[in-house]
Amino acid sequence: MAIKNVLLEIGTEEIPSRFIPDSLASLRKNAEILFTSGRLTFRDIKTYATPRRLVLIVTGVSDSQTEQIDLLKGPPVSAAYDDNDQPTKAAEGFAKSKGISVDELKIREINGVKYIAAEIKQESKPALDVLPEIMKGLISGLTFPKSMYWDRTGVRFARPVRWIVAMADNVIIPFEFGGVNSGRRTTGHRFMGHKVIDIADASEFLDVLYDNNVILDQEKRLQKMKTAIANLQKDLEGNLEVEMDAAILEENLYLVEYPVPFAGSFDKRYLEIPEEVLTTSMKKNQKYLAVRNRDKGGKLANYFVGVSNNLVPDMGVIREGNERVLRARLEDAAFFWEEDRKIPLASYVDRLKNVTYQEKLGSVYDKVMLTRKLALWFCERYGMGDIASLVDRAAYLSKADLVTSMVFEFTDLQGVMGREYAKSGGEDPRVALALYEQYLPLTAAGKTPTDDVGAVLGLAERVHVITACHKAGLEATSSQDPYGLRRAARCINEILFARGYNFDINEAVTESCRINEVDDEMKSKILEFMRQRLQAQLREKGYDAELVNLGIAAVGNVPYQAVKLIETLNQVKNEEWFTGLSASALRVKNILQKNAKHVSDAEPDESLMSIEAEKNLYAEVMRVAEPVREAVNAYDWEGLARMLAELSPVVAKFFDDVMVMDKDDAVRDNRLALLRECNKLFLEAGDLSVLS
């Protein structure tokens, strides 16, 4: 008879909300692994969490382990039995080591060879004998970004474990973890529930907690939170809308066991401060949801919505306390806003000389000046002289906001405050925008710069950082990347893709190496790093590995065009002419490699061509050779595809009608020379043979 419910509750002190989503996924995955390896079948696994507890409920668990017979291979039959079919010492020793008699040995054939084997039946234990070890393994198998010790047991967990409930229906699953013995005793809500609750049966666990104001199911808890927020929104004055920020909602979800949303307000005068300052203070520090005014185009309103973990008779007390805390933070922000603007943003630049970027790389000021040089090179090299003065100014001011009081207090506002202080100080609007957009994209799929000034500045800084860090020996490793070099390379490519820049990244790295006095050996290492990052990025976009390799081989130094080439070939890769051409390219490559000693630099001699198919191939190769080169140089990938489509049947016909390895050496060598020219064409578009 199956066990209806196996319950595990790990009761703790409050776990940081950011730890919980990954912990839930890990708990479920580990349960699947441990129950399966423990030979216990089950119907379903569910995981739940609040800040004070991680819970696993497994339903329909078998009451005993499934039977298992292990087949253990021994020596070959030829070594196990003599000519009289009597067991040898090898057979006797193998049988003894497996705890069986020689008569119980089996013979099994594996890959055409017969071996003796022992069939060992694993003991089938009751589930209650197996579950204690599984339960303990589930807890010890959880890992967190940060763990802590809390007693002399030396056990680590996200936060101290205070109680453990482990039950199979109404039976306790006994074990010990971190000095805590499992049992049936849990606790309700910290403020609104009973301190001691005994669970009679695992099936009643969720209901008992609900009766004690713990909504264990996070989906139900989230729905209750959203419904309550929607009701609050109706009571706000004006055409207002609560900004349902998914990250803030999830954070609040795992900060409370019983969500009680409430609305508060702040003085309208604070709305004169840049919006990001207000929202950063509300979201990051207080976990509040912002409120926006529909009548004013979605501008921030002087309200906020918070989520309490306590339903008190007078929620006004909660609201007023939160308003008081927020008021103090906004007052600080208002003070910083006024103080920072008393001097121009440019006045902060010299202060960067006293801020160390990295001990081997000097100050932030040094970094700014080197980035500035590279940014101006971009403008000169790629015909962007019309924005050179704007790029120069933006580069000079790029990190000035780092030493303002506001960014010192709210570090997430770097770039935002640069933009706002630049606007307030009368800088060119494009320069002000660039001070913010230099940091874009902020995430893998985030927004990219909308203007060339910020895009060029962002590219220059990231190329400089990658170069400088390699020079200082601060390269990314498989386990560490403290200076975010992989992210920098990704951002470079994302900007190039989004802006459609035909920038040669090899040239940019070469110039950065010249500015930073980096030798050729290190430059080669940097270029290989950039190539690998581009390759990984394109694979993440879903392109076939072979297409990615071809695109990078053909034009990887210009990432935007590598993407365009791959996209073009991706559209035709399944067409008959293309698959045929790829196969022909591979055949050409193989023939040339196998007969390298007969391949000379001599031009094909048309007078030695007697078969129509080889004459046609020669004529076609000569006709498209220059247009193909022009198409590649002009990045005309559709034009290239058209010419390759025209070439494909001619190459196929050649192989149908012509024997390359003719008995006449002169004819043979001439045909190899023709294939050599054909191969050159294929290589113009990358190595097409890799697609076959």
Side-chain angles (χ1 to χ4, degrees):
M1 184 176 178
I3 300 170
K4 294 179 181 178
N5 295 282
V6 170
L7 165 67
L8 173 66
E9 180 191 34
I10 311 164
T12 69
E13 294 182 11
E14 275 75 0
I15 298 173
S17 59
R18 68 183 186 278
F19 292 4
I20 294 179
D22 287 344
S23 299
L24 279 174
S26 181
L27 182 59
R28 180 184 180 85
K29 181 179 179 182
N30 291 348
E32 291 174 349
I33 293 171
L34 291 179
F35 271 77
T36 301
S37 63
R39 294 188 282 130
L40 293 180
T41 61
F42 56 88
R43 184 171 65 250
D44 192 22
I45 294 176
K46 291 184 178 178
T47 54
Y48 306 100
T50 75
R52 298 182 70 205
R53 61 196 89 217
L54 295 172
V55 175
L56 170 79
I57 296 178
V58 186
T59 58
V61 178
S62 58
D63 58 4
S64 61
Q65 292 178 307
T66 56
E67 288 189 359
Q68 178 173 311
I69 298 176
D70 294 332
L71 184 67
L72 306 178
K73 188 183 79 170
V77 170
S78 58
Y81 295 96
D82 60 22
D83 294 338
N84 298 318
D85 288 333
Q86 295 300 309
T88 64
K89 289 185 177 180
E92 292 172 350
F94 174 72
K96 184 177 180 181
S97 69
K98 305 308 175 189
I100 61 174
S101 68
V102 173
D103 294 338
E104 293 177 280
L105 290 173
K106 309 291 182 183
I107 296 177
R108 295 290 182 268
E109 185 173 319
I110 303 173
N111 296 327
V113 179
K114 291 184 177 181
Y115 296 87
I116 60 169
E119 288 185 350
I120 307 298
K121 185 177 181 180
Q122 296 288 346
E123 181 184 359
S124 180
K125 297 180 181 178
L128 289 175
D129 290 349
V130 180
L131 283 170
E133 196 63 31
I134 291 177
M135 295 291 103
K136 188 170 182 178
L138 285 171
I139 304 178
S140 60
L142 290 174
T143 58
F144 305 91
K146 290 183 179 179
S147 298
M148 60 184 294
Y149 302 100
W150 63 90
D151 61 18
R152 294 181 179 179
T153 62
V155 167
R156 300 179 68 181
F157 207 70
R159 289 295 182 269
V161 175
R162 296 308 186 200
W163 76 91
I164 298 172
V165 176
M167 300 179 67
D169 290 336
N170 61 354
V171 178
I172 293 173
I173 302 171
F175 66 93
E176 177 270 335
F177 179 83
V180 178
N181 290 313
S182 62
R184 63 174 73 247
R185 182 161 292 180
T186 187
T187 183
H189 191 282
R190 186 178 289 279
F191 309 115
M192 301 184 295
H194 289 95
K195 303 301 179 188
V196 177
I197 306 168
D198 285 334
I199 304 298
D201 191 280
S203 61
E204 67 180 34
F205 182 69
L206 271 74
D207 291 336
V208 169
L209 286 184
Y210 188 83
D211 292 340
N212 282 269
N213 294 303
V214 176
I215 304 177
L216 183 61
D217 188 327
Q218 52 270 11
E219 295 300 326
K220 292 180 180 179
R221 198 161 68 247
L222 179 61
Q223 189 55 50
K224 178 176 176 58
M225 188 191 307
K226 288 181 175 179
T227 301
I229 291 171
N231 292 332
L232 281 175
Q233 183 173 293
K234 297 175 185 176
D235 297 332
L236 296 175
E237 295 181 5
N239 189 16
L240 304 180
E241 181 179 26
V242 179
E243 185 178 80
M244 302 296 275
D245 185 306
I248 299 299
L249 285 172
E250 181 175 89
E251 193 162 7
N252 277 292
L253 177 66
Y254 294 118
L255 285 172
V256 301
E257 294 197 313
Y258 189 92
V260 186
F262 62 92
S265 63
F266 54 88
D267 198 306
K268 287 185 178 180
R269 68 184 177 89
Y270 293 122
L271 293 176
E272 297 173 7
I273 304 172
E275 181 180 295
E276 289 92 342
V277 176
L278 302 181
T279 55
T280 296
S281 185
M282 285 192 287
K283 293 179 179 181
K284 184 174 181 181
N285 300 119
Q286 304 303 123
K287 322 304 178 192
Y288 296 153
L289 295 165
V291 178
R292 298 191 175 275
N293 193 325
R294 294 192 187 100
D295 293 337
K296 295 183 178 180
K299 286 189 175 181
L300 200 66
N302 63 317
Y303 292 94
F304 66 89
V305 170
V307 182
S308 172
N309 189 37
N310 192 10
L311 179 61
V312 299
D314 183 7
M315 287 301 293
V317 175
I318 300 290
R319 184 191 70 249
E320 290 170 7
N322 280 269
E323 288 177 342
R324 189 163 53 249
V325 172
L326 181 60
R327 188 185 310 121
R329 291 193 174 277
L330 296 185
E331 195 61 38
D332 287 344
F335 173 76
F336 297 145
W337 174 242
E338 293 300 324
E339 286 297 306
D340 286 342
R341 291 187 300 155
K342 286 181 178 179
I343 61 174
L345 184 60
S347 299
Y348 289 97
V349 175
D350 270 355
R351 299 185 187 183
L352 296 173
K353 294 176 180 177
N354 300 318
V355 181
T356 300
Y357 170 57
Q358 205 282 330
E359 59 181 11
K360 295 181 181 179
L361 300 175
S363 67
V364 174
Y365 180 88
D366 297 329
K367 176 190 173 190
V368 165
M369 293 302 112
L370 293 172
T371 297
R372 190 180 178 192
K373 286 183 180 180
L374 187 59
L376 288 173
W377 174 86
F378 270 109
C379 293
E380 180 182 357
R381 173 64 182 83
Y382 295 107
M384 306 173 86
D386 57 323
I387 63 168
S389 61
L390 298 176
V391 170
D392 186 45
R393 183 63 174 172
Y396 180 73
L397 298 174
S398 60
K399 305 303 174 189
D401 66 339
L402 297 184
V403 287
T404 62
S405 298
M406 185 75 82
V407 176
F408 183 81
E409 180 68 18
F410 302 104
T411 55
D412 287 355
L413 292 176
Q414 64 176 4
V416 171
M417 296 319 301
R419 179 192 65 200
E420 296 302 321
Y421 290 143
K423 286 164 59 177
S424 176
E427 295 286 347
D428 187 288
R430 293 181 74 182
V431 170
L433 180 62
L435 298 186
Y436 169 69
E437 290 197 334
Q438 66 176 311
Y439 293 103
L440 300 182
L442 298 174
T443 60
K447 294 179 180 179
T448 51
T450 61
D451 186 76
D452 289 334
V453 180
V456 169
L457 177 56
L459 288 169
E461 183 189 5
R462 292 176 175 98
V463 172
H464 167 72
V465 166
I466 291 171
T467 304
C469 285
H470 275 81
K471 177 185 178 181
L474 304 172
E475 305 148 49
T477 66
S478 58
S479 60
Q480 291 187 329
D481 186 12
Y483 287 86
L485 303 190
R486 291 190 188 91
R487 183 175 180 276
R490 170 183 288 277
C491 290
I492 288 170
N493 292 327
E494 291 297 340
I495 293 171
L496 295 176
F497 299 158
R499 300 298 297 170
Y501 290 155
N502 290 328
F503 288 4
D504 188 321
I505 206 65
N506 291 8
E507 289 184 355
V509 168
T510 298
E511 178 62 16
S512 184
C513 287
R514 186 192 68 78
I515 292 172
N516 286 278
E517 299 179 347
V518 172
D519 61 34
D520 287 345
E521 183 179 351
M522 182 55 70
K523 182 182 81 172
S524 297
K525 199 170 186 178
I526 296 169
L527 291 175
E528 176 60 18
F529 169 76
M530 297 298 291
R531 188 197 67 78
Q532 289 177 0
R533 300 323 305 159
L534 176 61
Q535 183 182 47
Q537 213 163 331
L538 293 175
R539 289 289 289 120
E540 288 171 12
K541 291 181 179 292
Y543 297 120
D544 294 342
E546 293 79 11
L547 276 180
V548 168
N549 292 339
L550 185 149
I552 291 176
V555 66
N557 56 311
V558 184
Y560 174 66
Q561 290 303 330
V563 171
K564 302 305 288 184
L565 172 58
I566 290 168
E567 287 175 347
T568 300
L569 297 182
N570 194 52
Q571 292 174 359
V572 300
K573 67 179 182 180
N574 294 322
E575 293 187 18
E576 186 177 349
W577 72 264
F578 190 74
T579 56
L581 188 65
S582 301
S584 295
L586 179 60
R587 192 169 180 181
V588 168
K589 182 179 179 180
N590 289 339
I591 291 172
L592 292 175
Q593 287 178 344
K594 289 179 181 178
N595 300 280
K597 63 181 179 180
H598 299 303
V599 180
S600 67
D601 294 331
E603 293 295 318
D605 185 350
E606 195 171 4
S607 67
L608 291 174
M609 300 178 188
S610 58
I611 302 175
E612 194 68 23
E614 65 178 324
K615 292 179 181 179
N616 290 341
L617 178 58
Y618 177 69
E620 187 68 11
V621 168
M622 293 300 102
R623 182 184 73 82
V624 301
E626 187 58 30
V628 163
R629 278 189 286 274
E630 290 175 355
V632 171
N633 292 334
Y635 306 137
D636 179 10
W637 306 123
E638 291 185 1
L640 174 67
R642 284 195 300 271
M643 285 181 275
L644 292 178
E646 293 168 2
L647 179 64
S648 181
V650 182
V651 181
K653 183 66 173 173
F654 172 86
F655 282 117
D656 286 343
D657 297 355
V658 178
M659 176 68 71
V660 176
M661 306 309 292
D662 195 87
K663 295 179 180 179
D664 187 320
D665 290 351
V667 173
R668 177 200 64 200
D669 292 350
N670 196 57
R671 288 172 180 171
L672 288 172
L674 175 56
L675 292 185
R676 184 198 65 222
E677 294 304 311
C678 193
N679 191 52
K680 287 180 182 178
L681 263 184
F682 295 148
L683 293 177
E684 289 286 351
D687 187 356
L688 292 175
S689 67
V690 302
L691 301 179
S692 180

